[in-house]
Amino acid sequence: MSPEFVYVALLLGVLLVLAVPTGRYIAKVFSGERTPLTPLLRPIEKRFYSLLGIDENKEMSWKTYASALIAFNILSVIAVFLLQEAQGWLPLNPQGFGPVRWDTAVNTAISFVTNTNWQAYSGEQTMSYLTQMLGLTVQNFLSGAVGIAAAIAVIRGFIRKNTATIGNFWVDLTRSVLYLLLPLAIIWALVFASQGVVQTLGPYVAAQTPDSGEQLIAVGPTASQDAIKFLGTNGGGFFNVNSAHPFENPTPLTDSLQVLGMLLIAASLPFALGAMLKNRGQGRAIFASMMVLYLAGLGVALWSETNGNPLLDHLGVAGGINLEGKETRFGIVPTVLFAESTTVTSDGGVDGMHDSFLPLTGLVLLFNMAIGEVIFGGVGVGLIGMIFYAIMTMFIAGLMIGRTPELFGKKLEPSEMIMAVIGLLAPSVTLLLLATLAVVLPAGLFSLNNAGPHGLSEIIYAFASACGNNGSAFAGLNANTIFYNMTTALGMLVGRFATILPALAIAGSLAQKKIVPFSAATLPVAHPLFVVMLVGTVIIVGALTFFPVFVLGPILEHMLLGAGRTF
Amino acid sequence: MNKNEIIREAKTCVLLFALVCLLSLAFPFFVTFVAENTMPYQAHGSLIYINGTLVGSELIGQNFSSPGYFHSRPSAVDYNGSNSGGSNLGPTSAKLMEEVRQRVEKVRQENNLSANATVPADLVLASGSGLDPDISPASALLQVQRVAKVRGLSESKVKTLVEERIEGLQFGLFGQERVNVLKLNIALDELARGSKR
C-alpha cells in the first residue's frame, strides 16, 4: 500500500482514538460533572459568572434560549461590521488599510458570525491585524461556541422529561469557549507556530530576491487564527488562499493537524450525545452513519482526482496529474483528503484551489455541502442536521411499520416533523433560488471565471457554500460584488438560523414530553439497520433535491472532458 | 419574561460579549508572546538573510527565471508575496490548456528535451497559493543540465547539490518529496562562488 493511503488510514485512526474520549469530556463539561480541567478552569468560570451577574443554575425555555442566541449574534454582526469600517483609525494596522467597502463588510460580518467564513476579500490586502484578531478570530471562537451550545440544548431536549427548560445559553457559551475551544486552540496554535506558521504583529517585510527584484512578504498573527479556524470549523483564513498559503500551512504535519482539527469536535459530538443519552450505542450509530458517508465521498473523490486529467496528459504533462491549484508539499491525496474533510465539516478552509479539481471531485464536494453539512458537519450544527435526518428517517420508518415514530426515547409528533423539514429544506430551497437568480441575471454571470458547465458549478458552489455555512469556494468566481455579497449573506443567514431555531424549537417541545420506555416495537437506533436507513435518507433527499443541477454542472463537465471538449 | 428580566438578559448579553472579546483578544497576544520568544525564526516568517540582507522567506516561493537558476513553479500571481492566489481555472478551461501547452514547450526548449518528452506536472501547473516554495525532485533534476551549463559547473556536482537538498516525506509518511527552490539556488550561488575562487 502506498504511504499516502497509510497516511489517510492513520489520520482517521487517530481521529477515532481522540473523538471517543473528547465526546465523553464534552458530555461531562455540559452536565457540570468534574473533568481533569475542572480544578484549573472552574474558579475562572465562577469568577466570570459573578462578574456578569449570571446565575448559572437559572434555566431558560427554548424561546428565551433562542432569543439570547439571536441577540448575541446581532450584537456580534454589528461589532464586526463597525470594526471593519473603523480599522483605519484604530491601532495594529501596520499596512494602513482603510475602511472595508460596505457590502464586503456586511458580508464578512455575517459570514464570520454564522460560522461560514465565506471570504469575498483578500485577507492580506484588506484587513488590519486588529480586525483579524478582535473581529475575525473572536468570532471564530464565538460562532463555534454558539453551534456547540445549540447542539447541547437539543441533546437536553431528548434526555429531559416534563420540563420547559433546555439549559442556560450564557453558561453553555462560556463553557464551550473555556473548556473546549480555548485549551485546544492554544495547543494547536503553538504546534503550528513551531512548524513555521507566522505569528507576529510587525509590518510586512521587503526582501531583495536573488533573481527577481523586491518581494513584499505579508506576515501577521496567523497561527492564533489558524488554530481556531479549524477547531471551530470556521475556515476563515488569514491570507487570501487560506491554508494553501505556506505561512498558513507550511508542512505536511500542519496539513494533517488541520484536517484533524476540523474533524475532531464535530466527530466527538455524536459520542457526547451517546454519553448524555446514557446509551453509547446510539451515539456510535450516528457516528457510523457519518463515517460511512464520509468514506464514500472520500473514495469517489480520490478515485476521480488520482485518475488525472486526460487533456493534460495529451499536452505532455507526466501522468496527466492535476496539480493545478495544488501545493508541491502536499500532492494529490492529502489535498483531496483536506477538501473532503473541509466540505463535510462546514469548515471551508482549503489547502488547494477547489475550482481546479476534476469535475467528479467537485461533485463530491458540492454534494457534501448541499445535503446540509451533516457528515460530521459544523461543530454542533452538523449533529443538529443529522438529527433532522434521523427524525425524517424515523418518520419514514414509522409510516412503513404503522407506528408512531420515536427517536432516542421520545415520541415524534407533527410539530417536530414540521421543524425538521424546515431545517432540512429551507437552506436547500434558498440555495436553488439564489443560484437561479445568479444564472438569469447579468450581475450573476458577470463574475464567472470559467465558461461551460464549470461556470454553472462555480455559481452552485458559491450558494451551496453559503447556505451550508461552509465558506470554501470555487474561488475563480469574483464574489466581491454587491450582488454576490448580498445574496450569499442572505444564504448564510438562512443556512444558519433555519437550522438552529427549528432545532431549539424541537428541543423545547421534546423536553416537555415523557420518555417512552424501550419496547419490542421500538425501532432500535443502535443497530446497523438504522445506519443503513439514515444513510439512505441522506442520499435520497440529497439526490432528489440536487440531481438535476448536478447533472448540468459537474456530471456534464466530466462527460465533455472525456470527449476532449474545452471552453 | 417581564420587562426587568429582558433588561437584565440584555445587559448580560452586552457584558458577556465585551468580556469574551477581551479574553479572545488576549489569545493571539499570548500566542504571539510565546511564539516570538521561544521560536523567533518561525514566528517572524522563516526569513533568510545573507550578509545582513533579507533575500526572502524559506516558506515563500519567489520567481526564478534566469537560465542559471533552478526555476520555481508557475504562479498565477507572479509570486506577489502580499497577494496570494491560484489561477482557479477548471479542468476544461481552454485558457488553462493553452497556457500549459506553452509552458510545456518552453520547458522542453530550455532544458534541451525532445519534442514529445513528458514534463513533471508541478513545473507546468500553477500552485494553489501562487507562492509554492517547492518543486518536485523530478523537476529539479530535469533542470540540472541547463543550470550546470550556464554556470560552467560540472553536471555531477550540481546533481549532487540537488540530491542533497531533497526533503523526504515528513516522518517518512506525510506529504511529498520536495526541493526548496530558494535554498537550492542559494546553495548553487555558493557553489558557483566557491568554484571561481
Side-chain angles (χ1 to χ4, degrees):
Chain A
M1 218 162 47
S2 80
E4 293 187 307
F5 289 92
V6 177
Y7 163 72
V8 173
L10 181 76
L11 194 65
L12 295 181
V14 170
L15 172 69
L16 190 61
V17 167
L18 291 179
V20 175
T22 309
R24 285 180 201 159
Y25 171 78
I26 293 172
K28 279 186 179 163
V29 166
F30 289 98
S31 312
E33 289 170 38
R34 204 181 155 76
T35 69
L37 288 181
T38 305
L40 181 69
L41 296 177
R42 183 64 186 156
I44 303 175
E45 189 193 350
K46 272 189 177 161
R47 192 67 199 271
F48 206 84
Y49 297 147
S50 71
L51 210 60
L52 298 176
I54 295 172
D55 175 4
E56 63 175 312
N57 296 316
K58 191 173 168 238
E59 294 259 325
M60 295 175 174
S61 70
W62 83 265
K63 282 180 182 158
T64 312
Y65 199 98
S67 312
L69 188 151
I70 290 173
F72 192 75
N73 279 321
I74 291 175
L75 189 64
S76 299
V77 170
I78 294 172
V80 177
F81 175 78
L82 291 179
L83 184 60
Q84 292 175 78
E85 294 308 316
Q87 67 175 6
W89 298 287
L90 296 172
L92 288 172
N93 184 9
Q95 298 315 115
F97 292 131
V100 179
R101 217 175 70 201
W102 74 269
D103 55 313
T104 315
V106 168
N107 184 281
T108 306
I110 290 175
S111 166
F112 275 73
V113 171
T114 57
N115 199 257
T116 312
N117 302 39
W118 171 263
Q119 294 171 292
Y121 60 92
S122 163
E124 65 266 44
Q125 294 274 323
T126 317
M127 300 293 176
S128 77
Y129 292 168
L130 186 72
T131 309
Q132 299 259 25
M133 287 158 54
L134 185 59
L136 309 185
T137 304
V138 168
Q139 283 309 319
N140 280 353
F141 277 101
L142 293 181
S143 63
V146 166
I148 295 169
I152 296 298
V154 171
I155 296 174
R156 290 201 188 106
F158 285 101
I159 59 178
R160 293 183 172 184
K161 54 185 175 188
N162 310 326
T163 171
T165 63
I166 55 171
N168 182 314
F169 176 69
W170 312 123
V171 172
D172 291 343
L173 191 72
T174 308
R175 287 188 181 161
S176 301
V177 175
L178 205 56
Y179 285 82
L180 199 56
L181 296 174
L182 201 53
L184 287 172
I186 290 173
I187 299 170
W188 251 253
L190 292 177
V191 177
F192 283 172
S194 76
Q195 288 286 305
V197 177
V198 68
Q199 179 76 22
T200 173
L201 298 174
Y204 297 179
V205 293
Q208 298 302 321
T209 67
D211 195 34
S212 52
E214 188 170 282
Q215 185 186 36
L216 184 66
I217 301 174
V219 294
T222 310
S224 49
Q225 184 168 331
D226 216 15
I228 187 61
K229 139 187 165 196
F230 293 104
L231 294 163
T233 61
N234 304 281
F238 193 89
F239 297 104
N240 186 32
V241 289
N242 209 285
S243 278
H245 197 291
F247 272 160
E248 203 156 324
N249 191 1
T251 64
L253 176 65
T254 55
D255 194 60
S256 57
L257 284 175
Q258 301 192 348
V259 173
L260 191 63
M262 56 186 151
L263 289 167
L264 179 58
I265 295 177
S268 303
L269 282 168
F271 295 111
L273 169 75
M276 289 175 82
L277 288 169
K278 302 221 174 348
N279 187 335
R280 288 184 178 158
Q282 297 187 334
R284 280 198 291 267
I286 297 287
F287 176 86
S289 310
M290 292 174 168
M291 195 45 119
V292 166
L293 286 160
Y294 176 83
L295 290 176
L298 183 65
V300 174
L302 281 175
W303 170 78
S304 155
E305 204 64 22
T306 48
N307 269 342
N309 184 337
L311 296 175
L312 292 176
D313 197 29
H314 287 312
L315 291 172
V317 176
I321 297 169
N322 184 27
L323 274 182
E324 181 70 27
K326 298 186 184 69
E327 299 286 295
T328 311
R329 60 193 178 282
F330 309 137
I332 301 284
V333 172
T335 308
V336 172
L337 178 72
F338 199 109
E340 165 76 5
S341 305
T342 201
T343 48
V344 296
T345 57
S346 103
D347 186 79
V350 298
D351 77 345
M353 295 300 105
H354 288 192
D355 216 344
S356 298
F357 274 126
L358 288 163
L360 294 185
T361 317
L363 172 69
V364 171
L365 308 183
L366 273 169
F367 178 81
N368 289 339
M369 296 188 298
I371 56 168
E373 301 285 11
V374 298
I375 310 169
F376 303 120
V379 288
V381 287
L383 180 65
I384 288 176
M386 203 46 137
I387 288 176
F388 288 155
Y389 274 111
I391 290 175
M392 180 87 89
T393 305
M394 285 309 196
F395 181 74
I396 295 169
L399 284 181
M400 289 195 285
I401 55 174
R403 291 255 324 171
T404 312
E406 294 165 15
L407 181 66
F408 307 140
K410 290 282 174 131
K411 270 203 162 60
L412 302 173
E413 284 163 307
S415 68
E416 286 87 28
M417 266 312 294
I418 290 168
M419 288 300 160
V421 169
I422 291 175
L424 286 179
L425 287 191
S428 308
V429 171
T430 311
L431 188 178
L432 291 172
L433 285 177
L434 290 175
T436 309
L437 206 60
V439 170
V440 295
L441 290 181
L445 295 172
F446 179 74
S447 290
L448 288 181
N449 184 48
N450 284 280
H454 198 81
L456 180 63
S457 299
E458 276 186 343
I459 290 176
I460 301 295
Y461 198 102
F463 292 106
S465 177
C467 296
N469 293 135
N470 184 280
S472 69
F474 271 13
L477 183 82
N478 173 20
N480 197 9
T481 63
I482 293 183
F483 174 78
Y484 278 103
N485 276 330
M486 293 300 117
T487 46
T488 52
L490 179 64
M492 293 188 271
L493 287 174
V494 172
R496 182 71 166 174
F497 294 105
T499 304
I500 287 185
L501 298 182
L504 292 177
I506 290 174
S509 152
L510 290 178
Q512 291 178 355
K513 299 184 183 185
K514 60 180 197 294
I515 291 174
V516 190
F518 190 87
S519 73
T522 311
L523 185 70
V525 170
H527 193 280
L529 181 66
F530 174 78
V531 174
V532 171
M533 289 196 307
L534 182 55
V535 168
T537 308
V538 173
I539 291 175
I540 290 167
V541 170
L544 287 180
T545 315
F546 297 106
F547 187 67
V549 71
F550 286 167
V551 167
L552 293 173
I555 294 175
L556 182 61
E557 190 188 13
H558 174 73
M559 291 170 152
L560 292 170
L561 178 67
R565 277 286 301 274
T566 59
F567 297 89
Chain B
M1 226 191 323
N2 64 35
K3 206 173 150 195
N4 283 340
E5 273 183 59
I6 291 175
I7 291 170
R8 217 183 49 229
E9 294 289 345
K11 220 173 98 190
T12 308
C13 179
V14 175
L15 277 174
L16 180 67
F17 182 74
L19 198 59
V20 172
C21 279
L22 276 180
L23 282 182
S24 306
L25 191 59
F27 166 68
F29 276 111
F30 170 77
V31 176
T32 308
F33 177 79
V34 174
E36 286 194 327
N37 285 293
T38 60
M39 32 200 155
Y41 175 72
Q42 292 97 318
H44 291 112
S46 310
L47 302 174
I48 300 179
Y49 292 86
I50 295 179
N51 302 328
T53 309
L54 176 64
V55 296
S57 162
E58 180 186 334
L59 293 173
I60 302 296
Q62 42 181 267
N63 195 14
F64 286 99
S65 49
S66 306
Y69 279 117
F70 287 91
H71 296 175
S72 315
R73 293 181 65 180
S75 161
V77 293
D78 199 21
Y79 284 100
N80 181 343
S82 55
N83 193 12
S84 54
S87 74
N88 284 305
L89 293 171
T92 53
S93 161
K95 189 177 165 210
L96 174 65
M97 294 311 149
E98 178 53 24
E99 282 175 7
V100 172
R101 194 186 62 73
Q102 290 174 8
R103 288 177 194 148
V104 168
E105 214 159 84
K106 192 159 166 247
V107 167
R108 283 173 183 156
Q109 270 172 11
E110 286 175 344
N111 299 290
N112 215 3
L113 304 177
S114 70
N116 53 7
T118 58
V119 298
D122 60 300
L123 208 51
V124 288
L125 296 171
S127 63
S129 61
L131 299 170
D132 194 338
D134 304 308
I135 52 176
S136 66
S139 292
L141 291 169
L142 177 141
Q143 302 183 57
V144 164
Q145 192 198 28
R146 182 196 79 227
V147 170
K149 198 172 154 200
V150 175
R151 293 280 182 141
L153 295 164
S154 83
E155 258 182 56
S156 67
K157 256 190 182 170
V158 178
K159 193 173 170 210
T160 313
L161 193 76
V162 171
E163 280 166 350
E164 282 168 2
R165 271 158 195 78
I166 294 176
E167 288 175 56
L169 307 189
Q170 206 170 8
F171 314 120
L173 195 61
F174 289 27
Q176 307 294 323
E177 284 196 330
R178 58 199 201 272
V179 182
N180 185 294
V181 182
L182 177 61
K183 287 202 283 190
L184 175 63
N185 280 327
I186 289 173
L188 176 71
D189 274 343
E190 274 169 18
L191 181 73
R193 235 176 284 132
S195 71
K196 265 177 208 145
R197 238 178 257 140

